[in-house]
Amino acid sequence: MGANVSSVFDKEKEMTEMKNYAIIGFGCAGYHAAKAIRKIDPDGRIVVYSDTADPPFNPMLSTYYASDVLPLEGTFPFGSMEEIVKDFQLELHSETEAVHVDAAKKEIELADETRERFDSILVATGASAVVPASLTENAGRFFLMRTLEDAQKLRDHIEKENVKSAVVIGASMAGIKTAEIFYRKGIPTTLVDGASCLFPLAAYPDVAMMIQAKLNDLKIAQIYNAQVAAIRSNTVELSDGRALEADCICLCIGVHANVRLVANTKAVEGTEVKIGKGIIVDEQMQTNVPGIFAAGDCCEGKNLQTGETSVIGLWANAGAQGECAGKNMAGKEAVYYGNILHNITHFMDMDFISLGDITLPGEHRRFTGKGFLVEVCMDAGRLNSINIFGQYRISGILKSHLTKRLLQGENNLTPAQRGMLLAEGLPAELINLLGDKES
Amino acid sequence: MSYMFILDKRKCVGCSACAVACMDQNDIDVAAGDRPFRQCFTLESGPNPEDKMTFMSLACMHCEDAPCIQSCPSGCLKKDPETGFTIYDNTNCIGCHSCAMACPFAAPTYNKEGKMEKCDGCLTRVRHGLEPACVRVCPFGALQLVEKEDYENTLRKKAAELIAYTSRKDY
Amino acid sequence: MSEDVKELLRAKIPCEETGIEIRHSVCDICTPGPQCGLDVYVKDGKVIKVEGTKGFGPNNGSLCTKGAANRQYLYRKDRIQHPMKRVGPRGSNEFEPITWEEAFRLIAEGLNSVKEKYGADAVAFMTGYPKWYRPWLHRLAFSFGTENYMTESSTCHTAEVMSYLLAFGDEMSADVPGGPDLLVGWSANHMISGFPNGRNFFNYMEKGGRVVNIDTRVTPNEQKADIMITIKSGTDGYLANTIAALLIQNDWIDKEFIDNYVHGFEEYKAMVSEYTVAECEKITGVPAATIEELARLIGEAKNPLIMPSNGLCHHINGLQTHRAVVALNILKGNIARKGGMNPSYGSWLEMNAGFVTKEEEFLNDVRPKGNKPRIGSERFPVWAELKDECQLMDFVRQAESADPYPLKAIYGHGVNTMIHPQSDRFVEAAKQMEFIAATDIFWTEFCSLADVVLPACTSLERSEVKANGNGCIFYSSPAIDPLYESRDDVTIIAGVAKALNLDDELLKSGYDACIKHIFRETPVDLDQAKAAAKQVPIERVQREPFLSKPLKTPSGKIELYSEVIAKYAASHNLDPLPKWYSGFGEESPEEFPFTLVSGGRQANAIHSHLHKVPWLRSLRPEVMADINPLDAARLNIKQGDAVYLISAINKIKVKANLSAIALQGQINLYHGYEEANVNLLLPNTFLDPYSGFPGYKQLRCRIEKAEVES
């Protein structure tokens, strides 16, 4: 009886005392967390620390801004900071860097050494472009493609300098989108990657080869298995001795999670916040330290296919994770079951879609239709991963199918989905292979 | 008042009148490769006459927790608070097809400029007291726009064959 | 412009801010039939959207797939824009625009010259779709001096009418809303072909009615029925007669009704007594148990309605098949009562709206005398006796042979070359004409054969009176001005009558004067009806009960044994009883193992005139033959493969569509495609000797994979 009384008392106490929330980093995850918290807790104090003065920016839009497809305001998908602050009643600390999270006291320390305590803290610091130290020594000028500032620099450079040639290091999704900027302007471009093919993390080798051939047809030079040794002046030097001269050099070899803030954070018992490639979180988006949450590109959430945690650096993923974290912070239990690796890249009027972990084993089957190719990797009648080229419309059905199978153990395609897949020209054989008929 | 599209599968014959009405309402240029926001299917379950055929009409389900909204990198999509429809402003659409990958029903289409378009539930018509074009045309009243409350309280219990279009667990 | 107004315009909201107006018109795409009311959204004289008119009799707010595409139909890119004159050799398709005056003058010269040389009967007055102007065209033929008027109904619906006339002396229709206690749809595809009738099915089922559907294709009507029976194409007559035998054997018939009202029952009974369930199963492919179950269902029902459809007549045994199916209603006495077969008196343009008009007099007043026999009347005497038209299917034979007299000119509206079996023979025959005038909305193959081509407009650009089954008329006004230089068909006919200087002032006076003449004793104010811009009810004419007086048949009774057919039994080898015979031609089943079923309706087309409407074509872009997946697997044919359909006389190339809509051993192909005209496969002698109808639905053929294209 006594325990019940005390819990009722605790709840009342919670309800009467205004809660203090902190969000460090204000991108997609931070935004959605703030939105979720405010929906549940109309009175709580939500403090946002952002290292820029800009509203939440989508790194995926940087190439679109750099190539003038989008105006500056178009790169802020949630609108202006004033509106967001007003809508969610945030206490915004812009251009303010949080340097440390004290997990034991649940305090945040700022660059000016001021500290403040919170009931819960969300780390949503995102990710940064990888720049190997070896390339920064005595380096020539090169451009990154992650932040708004990166995009602005490249945009200015192309506008002001008479760029006649370009080298893009990194045949990743960001790399191909960067190469597209030059392609659209008719600037000869070379794509360089250390891997043996394009999209090494997402494409099956034969699909990659096919896309490479299409890029060749578009006069985009590609060099694979090539380690970049240095960037000097206007030249990319490869470890095999080759040197590529270009008016514009871009580095798009990937991103790493921004974990520095919590890297030395210790909880009261002395445990450290677990970090792998990102900050490791559970299904509530909570770190191993109660009250400290992480979401978005800085964290490692559950990979549905492997059951392990991994960084799935995708915009929608960050949004869902942020929302889940926000709900839990505000006391409403929520679970984010995780995600699968998935990617859609639309470049040079082509679509490449990869769903699932391509390193998982299975039998590969390839199907072609009018202008598209689908390759599936099946393991004992179950879909493990899929590559789609030239057919974006079916991607959502297949992603939903794969996710549903992993989450609910169901392998059926609904009549609506079957109908749509048939209408989109998928062979019946493939549809039957992918999923059972609804009983 | 929140609405939902429902399809009475018993009465759908897969005639595509709804798809053509959608084309007429939205000036869909099929000659240029554009598609209507709604499509019809006849799904056959086998080669024999007694094998069941399923006739259906499919468009944006206007999901409650629409996955397309969060997937859009440019924030083009949102829920209309009045009707519950998933609506959009494609000014900043970059044509990345992320919403297509998020949609379990292949609802998003893209216009000649590469910008996303989809069923908006004929929001403006509904606001003016008119049915969505596809609902108006349906020869057998198979496709309907109903108030969500009515559906939850009555229709759903009445007819097992009704497909609920808003709540994805019912598709 | 404010954002709000922009959005209102985008959403096409009719209101003051947008200037979008709704005008009421009618859809004429599949007329006569449903005749649905249209709300036409007009902005600055242009149609920007259509939808069905709420409260309008047949459609009440809805439209079918075809009707929903009225805007694109109206603005089809190949609309004929100006009167045209041929300047190259016939068939060269070289034309140049001329004035209406010159066009009328050339037509008058052309027709009068043929009349002078060969007589008025050398001119064939021919029509396809639409049908709204038919009485005017028919009258034009009469006033010109010939009875050689012929329509596409020679291959469509007239055989069904003949079947009813032979049995009842009047046309009949099935009263589904009246609520029979069992509904047997026989070849019924109304959910696709005519949705107001399809609605009747659903309404009937919702009230708990039991539905059996019998068809050779697996249509939505089949799928939605309580009991679906699939049957080999063209064997329906055998099934009907077997059911009849079982009904009689089990005393499941209305003996009293038969004694009082039916002629020829004993002969009929003797004929059907030779039909056995075992043989029926073999011929029809319907399992014996199903045959017996169907007989029991019909037998135990009080007023079962066995409802045949047009498709039954599209066989060379079609008329007899239709008669055999109708006979089941007669055995059950389900005639002239609620939920039964009831007389359908045409009020106006074949629609039974309960009132009467002077439509027949409109023709008879100017009927010519002393003419040569109408085209087809010697070959198809049953037709000739029942129908005041030529049997179009005999046109090519007579044109080629000049037997019994030469044909030298065609005056045509909406003529479709492709409805002719062996259509190429019709084209050749047309090329031999001395003069052809063609009026159409769109440029067709027939136009390319003509000397003068005239542009007609659609129903949205004209006025007309439509009668509806709900006892109303609707007198439309143009929703927009006619496009280009087009005119409505009746105005064109009046112009031709003037140019020909015919002694027919009424015909020359145009639509409004004629319609007032035709409706002069009908209790309705046409001016008011037109101004009302909505359906106007007309008081129904009270009629005596159908069976209370002798019928218009020779015996005055319902004829199971047809006295009309009996007259020609010996001369034309016809059977007065609805005895079944094979509907195949003489081709070898080994060489041609498949049955080609064509002429079915698909939702997105009707005949040939919607295939070029992009919205509709997008729903089935390729010309595809439906082949059963099991047959396809056996022949290693995959979805989308190019295949040849080969008959004894020709072959066409189409794509394969693997679908259970086609039974094993049968192939379904829709018609009216210029690029793959199925009727090129049919010999032009492949006709029903009773009705003259082609065997569209039962041609022996084979299917072969076409060579792989690089």
Side-chain angles (χ1 to χ4, degrees):
Chain A
M1 283 302 280
N4 279 342
V5 171
S6 94
S7 76
V8 168
F9 175 75
D10 283 351
K11 266 188 189 163
E12 278 176 0
K13 193 178 150 196
E14 272 176 28
M15 284 165 73
T16 50
E17 271 183 30
M18 194 175 73
K19 272 193 171 183
N20 250 338
Y21 309 93
I23 296 172
I24 308 171
F26 205 50
C28 184
Y31 170 86
H32 279 284
K35 187 178 174 184
I37 294 169
R38 183 54 76 221
K39 202 172 169 190
I40 296 162
D41 182 351
D43 305 316
R45 173 172 170 252
I46 306 174
V47 180
V48 170
Y49 298 100
S50 173
D51 58 356
T52 78
D54 295 323
F57 166 77
N58 183 350
M60 187 180 157
L61 299 176
S62 56
T63 59
Y64 295 89
Y65 176 62
S67 59
D68 210 10
V69 173
L70 275 183
L72 183 60
E73 61 272 21
T75 63
F76 305 121
F78 308 124
S80 75
M81 207 62 185
E82 294 73 40
E83 282 171 59
I84 297 168
V85 166
K86 193 169 147 252
D87 286 352
F88 303 150
Q89 295 163 45
L90 305 178
E91 184 182 319
L92 173 68
H93 298 256
S94 62
E95 295 177 276
T96 304
E97 198 185 347
V99 294
H100 180 63
V101 174
D102 184 333
K105 295 180 185 156
K106 279 204 223 160
E107 282 182 355
I108 291 174
E109 187 186 329
L110 304 179
D112 65 2
E113 294 187 6
T114 55
R115 295 168 74 95
E116 188 170 354
R117 188 197 169 274
F118 293 92
D119 295 303
S120 55
I121 296 169
L122 174 68
V123 181
T125 44
S128 302
V130 171
V131 183
S134 60
L135 294 187
T136 55
E137 290 166 21
N138 308 318
R141 188 169 189 198
F142 62 86
F143 296 86
L144 300 172
M145 191 46 63
R146 177 72 185 173
T147 63
L148 189 55
E149 200 188 339
D150 296 337
Q152 187 68 55
K153 280 183 186 161
L154 181 63
R155 191 181 159 132
D156 291 348
H157 183 71
I158 294 171
E159 248 172 49
K160 286 170 198 155
E161 308 296 326
N162 185 16
V163 175
K164 290 247 170 64
S165 59
V167 168
V168 176
I169 304 165
S172 60
M173 310 287 173
I176 199 83
K177 291 300 294 181
T178 306
E180 187 180 18
I181 300 174
F182 300 113
Y183 166 76
R184 294 273 177 225
K185 294 184 185 297
I187 299 168
T189 307
T190 304
L191 206 52
V192 179
D193 202 295
S196 59
C197 65
L198 184 75
F199 304 152
L201 302 176
Y204 304 137
D206 60 325
V207 176
M209 297 286 278
M210 188 207 67
I211 302 172
Q212 285 166 212
K214 288 192 184 289
L215 291 175
N216 260 336
D217 293 346
L218 297 176
K219 307 271 185 275
I220 298 188
Q222 299 155 76
I223 301 173
Y224 297 100
N225 297 310
Q227 301 302 325
V228 175
I231 300 170
R232 309 253 182 250
S233 175
N234 278 1
T235 307
V236 176
E237 292 178 12
L238 303 182
S239 52
D240 63 6
R242 278 183 285 179
L244 309 167
E245 263 188 51
D247 299 336
C248 186
I249 297 165
C250 297
L251 189 62
C252 303
I253 55 173
V255 294
H256 60 74
N258 292 330
V259 298
R260 191 171 40 87
L261 178 68
V262 293
N264 55 357
T265 295
K266 283 193 172 66
V268 69
E269 299 89 359
T271 52
E272 292 184 6
V273 171
K274 270 192 206 151
I275 297 171
K277 283 183 176 166
I279 304 162
I280 293 165
V281 292
D282 60 16
E283 288 183 338
Q284 281 84 33
M285 305 313 296
Q286 189 160 241
T287 65
N288 58 317
V289 177
I292 311 245
F293 294 77
D297 291 359
C298 68
C299 82
E300 263 188 45
K302 189 170 167 192
N303 179 329
L304 276 178
Q305 249 179 328
T306 59
E308 313 278 312
T309 58
S310 64
V311 177
I312 299 181
L314 291 167
W315 180 253
N317 201 51
Q321 288 182 335
E323 184 183 338
C324 176
K327 283 178 179 166
N328 284 310
M329 288 165 77
K332 186 178 175 188
E333 214 170 282
V335 168
Y336 181 63
Y337 289 104
N339 214 324
I340 56 169
L341 295 172
H342 62 283
N343 220 309
I344 183 163
T345 308
H346 180 67
F347 56 99
M348 295 131 183
D349 303 320
M350 296 185 260
D351 282 286
F352 170 71
I353 295 126
S354 174
L355 304 170
D357 186 339
I358 63 161
T359 62
L360 293 174
E363 186 202 350
H364 282 248
R365 295 282 307 274
R366 208 171 154 158
F367 296 83
T368 50
K370 220 174 185 174
F372 69 85
L373 175 149
V374 179
E375 185 167 326
V376 295
C377 174
M378 305 292 300
D379 187 20
R382 289 153 69 95
L383 180 65
N384 261 348
S385 64
I386 188 162
N387 270 193
I388 307 167
F389 180 79
Q391 223 310 4
Y392 64 83
R393 278 178 69 95
I394 60 169
S395 62
I397 294 175
L398 298 179
K399 173 171 176 277
S400 139
H401 175 61
L402 181 55
T403 312
K404 196 169 73 173
R405 176 173 84 62
L406 293 167
L407 275 177
Q408 296 162 15
E410 287 175 20
N411 200 36
N412 65 306
L413 283 161
T414 66
Q417 292 181 326
R418 281 180 170 268
M420 189 56 100
L421 292 177
L422 276 173
E424 287 299 319
L426 252 65
E429 191 191 353
L430 170 58
I431 298 171
N432 290 333
L433 190 69
L434 285 174
D436 306 330
K437 280 179 190 170
E438 205 176 45
S439 49
Chain B
M1 192 185 308
S2 208
Y3 293 103
M4 61 197 297
F5 286 88
I6 59 169
L7 180 74
D8 185 342
K9 271 205 275 186
R10 296 164 304 179
K11 288 187 176 176
C12 180
V13 301
C15 71
S16 294
C18 49
V20 177
C22 179
M23 298 182 202
D24 191 23
Q25 176 67 44
N26 296 298
D27 300 329
I28 302 293
D29 186 356
V30 293
D34 293 351
R35 289 161 196 270
F37 305 145
R38 178 170 286 286
Q39 281 179 269
C40 266
F41 309 110
T42 299
L43 201 66
E44 301 182 4
S45 65
N48 301 304
E50 61 274 17
D51 292 326
K52 197 180 159 204
M53 289 182 185
T54 306
F55 305 98
M56 56 192 319
S57 166
L58 180 67
C60 173
M61 303 279 202
H62 299 284
C63 309
E64 272 176 0
D65 53 345
C68 54
I69 296 177
Q70 275 194 351
S71 81
C72 177
S74 304
C76 295
L77 289 137
K78 63 174 183 183
K79 293 302 276 187
D80 176 55
E82 194 188 333
T83 57
F85 293 151
T86 305
I87 57 171
Y88 64 94
D89 171 354
N90 65 12
T91 310
N92 289 327
C93 174
I94 53 172
C96 68
H97 299 167
S98 291
C99 51
M101 188 171 59
C103 176
F105 304 101
T109 67
Y110 298 84
N111 64 18
K112 282 183 274 299
E113 291 77 48
K115 289 184 184 270
M116 190 278 284
E117 291 179 346
K118 67 175 247 328
C119 165
D120 67 353
C122 280
L123 178 69
T124 303
R125 275 175 65 86
V126 171
R127 282 186 179 153
H128 284 79
L130 302 165
E131 306 101 317
C134 54
V135 169
R136 171 67 175 263
V137 83
C138 181
F140 304 113
L143 191 61
Q144 297 167 36
L145 185 73
V146 297
E147 284 174 34
K148 201 173 272 179
E149 248 177 49
D150 285 352
Y151 174 77
E152 295 294 341
N153 295 341
T154 57
L155 287 167
R156 186 178 197 155
K157 285 169 195 125
K158 263 192 214 159
E161 289 254 284
L162 288 177
I163 310 178
Y165 264 8
T166 302
S167 165
R168 271 186 299 139
K169 56 185 176 287
D170 288 330
Y171 62 73
Chain C
M1 192 188 299
S2 77
E3 282 303 308
D4 285 352
V5 175
K6 248 191 218 168
E7 175 53 24
L8 290 174
L9 277 168
R10 193 196 65 83
K12 303 178 180 175
I13 305 298
C15 58
E16 218 170 282
E17 294 97 305
T18 59
I20 297 168
E21 263 182 74
I22 289 182
R23 308 215 174 120
H24 300 294
S25 184
V26 280
C27 176
D28 203 31
I29 287 175
C30 76
T31 172
Q35 321 215 100
C36 298
L38 280 185
D39 283 0
V40 183
Y41 286 55
V42 179
K43 161 94 179 150
D44 302 330
K46 284 218 171 85
V47 176
I48 58 162
K49 172 185 164 66
V50 300
E51 57 191 22
T53 306
K54 283 203 169 165
F56 198 95
N59 60 319
N60 190 18
S62 303
L63 288 173
C64 72
T65 323
K66 306 176 280 285
N70 255 292
R71 172 159 68 107
Q72 250 191 5
Y73 175 75
L74 167 72
Y75 292 118
R76 237 175 81 172
K77 293 216 160 55
D78 58 342
R79 281 281 302 254
I80 303 170
Q81 303 190 2
H82 315 283
M84 307 284 274
K85 166 175 95 168
R86 181 168 58 80
V87 291
R90 195 182 296 286
S92 67
N93 218 4
E94 290 166 37
F95 286 80
E96 63 181 34
I98 52 174
T99 64
W100 275 102
E101 289 66 34
E102 189 182 357
F104 285 137
R105 186 178 55 75
L106 289 172
I107 290 172
E109 276 173 22
L111 296 182
N112 278 333
S113 142
V114 168
K115 188 180 185 177
E116 274 162 34
K117 277 196 265 180
Y118 310 97
D121 291 327
V123 179
F125 288 78
M126 205 176 272
T127 170
Y129 270 59
K131 307 182 183 180
W132 72 289
Y133 52 79
R134 284 191 177 182
W136 282 266
L137 183 63
H138 205 164
R139 184 165 167 132
L140 179 68
F142 279 8
S143 286
F144 181 75
T146 181
E147 289 188 84
N148 277 340
Y149 163 80
M150 60 215 77
T151 76
E152 56 69 54
S153 302
S154 295
T155 70
C156 180
H157 175 56
T158 301
E160 196 174 27
V161 177
M162 288 169 70
S163 164
Y164 289 125
L165 292 176
L166 289 171
F168 302 99
D170 264 301
E171 195 177 344
M172 305 291 277
S173 66
D175 179 23
V176 178
D181 62 350
L182 174 72
L183 175 61
V184 181
W186 210 313
S187 178
N189 183 26
H190 298 131
M191 291 171 193
I192 295 299
S193 68
F195 76 90
N197 288 327
R199 270 185 192 167
N200 287 342
F201 267 81
F202 281 123
N203 291 341
Y204 176 72
M205 279 188 271
E206 272 198 347
K207 285 183 201 149
R210 295 176 301 163
V211 176
V212 180
N213 208 69
I214 306 171
D215 208 331
T216 198
R217 297 187 308 133
V218 182
T219 62
N221 270 65
E222 286 276 280
Q223 285 278 325
K224 308 284 179 187
D226 296 307
I227 299 177
M228 169 179 101
I229 298 176
T230 49
I231 184 167
K232 286 185 196 165
S233 188
T235 65
D236 309 77
Y238 201 98
L239 177 62
N241 286 345
T242 307
I243 299 293
L246 292 172
L247 294 179
I248 294 168
Q249 274 167 33
N250 290 288
D251 205 16
W252 280 330
I253 57 174
D254 188 341
K255 201 76 185 54
E256 194 188 330
F257 178 86
I258 292 168
D259 288 345
N260 285 334
Y261 302 111
V262 175
H263 173 73
F265 175 71
E266 289 306 322
E267 294 92 327
Y268 172 82
K269 181 179 166 185
M271 185 268 292
V272 299
S273 70
E274 289 172 21
Y275 287 70
T276 65
V277 172
E279 188 65 12
C280 186
E281 179 179 272
K282 237 191 275 171
I283 288 176
T284 62
V286 181
T290 306
I291 298 166
E292 279 157 0
E293 168 75 357
L294 177 61
R296 193 186 55 76
L297 275 172
I298 295 174
E300 291 178 353
K302 283 201 183 66
N303 63 329
L305 180 57
I306 296 98
M307 183 175 70
S309 277
N310 271 347
L312 289 176
C313 296
H314 298 174
H315 297 264
I316 64 164
N317 63 6
L319 186 66
Q320 291 291 72
T321 296
H322 195 277
R323 293 180 64 212
V325 172
V326 169
L328 300 180
N329 294 283
I330 299 170
L331 294 180
K332 295 298 291 182
N334 195 22
I335 307 298
R337 66 184 191 196
K338 245 174 113 68
M341 283 281 181
N342 284 279
S344 173
Y345 304 105
S347 301
W348 170 233
L349 292 174
E350 297 182 24
M351 292 305 292
N352 176 8
F355 58 85
V356 293
T357 61
K358 302 288 183 191
E359 184 177 351
E360 274 183 42
E361 281 178 46
F362 182 65
L363 292 178
N364 287 332
D365 286 349
V366 292
R367 185 180 293 276
K369 290 195 179 69
N371 291 86
K372 294 175 187 142
R374 274 182 277 136
I375 294 167
S377 56
E378 288 175 350
R379 189 172 173 196
F380 303 110
V382 181
W383 167 287
E385 190 148 325
L386 299 172
K387 189 73 185 170
D388 192 10
E389 291 177 14
C390 303
Q391 178 31 294
L392 173 64
M393 290 298 103
D394 199 37
F395 173 86
V396 171
R397 185 205 58 77
Q398 183 169 338
E400 286 175 352
S401 65
D403 171 24
Y405 56 88
L407 300 173
K408 294 292 180 186
I410 303 172
Y411 177 82
H413 283 236
V415 171
N416 179 6
T417 57
M418 286 185 283
I419 69 169
H420 291 265
Q422 233 172 327
S423 318
D424 42 347
R425 292 268 291 269
F426 175 79
V427 171
E428 276 313 306
K431 281 185 186 164
Q432 302 310 314
M433 294 290 129
E434 289 187 11
F435 183 77
I436 296 178
T439 295
D440 216 317
I441 304 170
F442 314 105
W443 195 265
T444 64
E445 185 180 28
F446 185 69
C447 293
S448 73
L449 299 168
D451 296 87
V452 179
V453 178
L454 304 177
C457 65
T458 70
S459 61
L460 278 67
E461 303 154 81
R462 65 169 183 252
S463 279
E464 69 184 288
V465 174
K466 294 272 195 213
N468 292 117
N470 61 348
C472 292
I473 62 158
F474 176 66
Y475 198 156
S476 69
S477 294
I480 56 164
D481 292 335
L483 299 187
Y484 318 111
E485 283 194 77
S486 69
R487 294 181 182 178
D488 75 74
D489 300 83
V490 170
T491 301
I492 292 171
I493 289 166
V496 170
K498 274 185 218 158
L500 285 166
N501 201 18
L502 299 181
D503 179 21
D504 186 343
E505 291 312 310
L506 182 61
L507 186 61
K508 290 187 228 170
S509 65
Y511 188 87
D512 286 346
C514 290
I515 199 77
K516 278 187 180 163
H517 183 80
I518 294 165
F519 276 72
R520 66 187 184 276
E521 288 179 21
T522 311
V524 62
D525 184 325
L526 287 178
D527 292 328
Q528 274 179 22
K530 193 172 186 179
K534 62 178 187 187
Q535 283 190 312
V536 176
I538 300 180
E539 202 185 327
R540 284 182 183 273
V541 173
Q542 292 306 312
R543 295 177 190 268
E544 289 171 45
F546 182 62
L547 295 170
S548 66
K549 54 184 194 316
L551 305 185
K552 293 175 202 152
T553 54
S555 64
K557 290 192 162 191
I558 299 170
E559 295 194 354
L560 285 174
Y561 179 95
S562 168
E563 294 295 347
V564 172
I565 296 176
K567 285 196 272 180
Y568 309 102
S571 61
H572 286 73
N573 194 24
L574 305 179
D575 195 326
L577 293 166
K579 193 171 172 182
W580 179 83
Y581 56 93
S582 168
F584 283 116
E586 285 171 2
E587 304 89 352
S588 119
E590 285 73 35
E591 198 183 341
F592 300 101
F594 279 91
T595 306
L596 178 60
V597 179
S598 78
R601 293 283 179 82
Q602 50 184 336
N604 57 319
I606 179 166
H607 309 318
S608 64
H609 58 297
L610 296 177
H611 291 324
K612 288 182 186 166
V613 176
W615 286 340
L616 295 173
R617 188 60 184 258
S618 75
L619 301 172
R620 189 173 166 117
E622 308 263 19
V623 185
M624 296 195 296
D626 301 314
I627 177 170
N628 188 279
L630 297 173
D631 286 331
R634 196 164 45 76
L635 299 170
N636 193 27
I637 291 171
K638 300 217 159 49
Q639 178 69 27
D641 278 355
V643 290
Y644 285 114
L645 294 179
I646 302 164
S647 76
I649 64 160
N650 212 334
K651 67 176 185 180
I652 58 171
K653 195 174 172 184
V654 296
K655 293 275 172 71
N657 181 45
L658 277 52
S659 170
I661 192 173
L663 303 185
Q664 278 191 73
Q666 298 193 165
I667 291 167
N668 174 57
L669 179 60
Y670 297 110
H671 58 288
Y673 291 100
E674 279 176 4
E675 60 272 52
N677 170 15
V678 63
N679 289 336
L680 289 172
L681 300 178
L682 268 70
N684 77 344
T685 51
F686 192 50
L687 303 175
D688 182 340
Y690 293 79
S691 66
F693 270 47
Y696 290 135
K697 291 188 169 17
Q698 206 179 347
L699 183 73
R700 287 203 199 275
C701 76
R702 66 172 187 271
I703 183 166
E704 281 176 10
K705 259 172 101 157
E707 71 283 358
V708 180
E709 283 165 45
S710 54

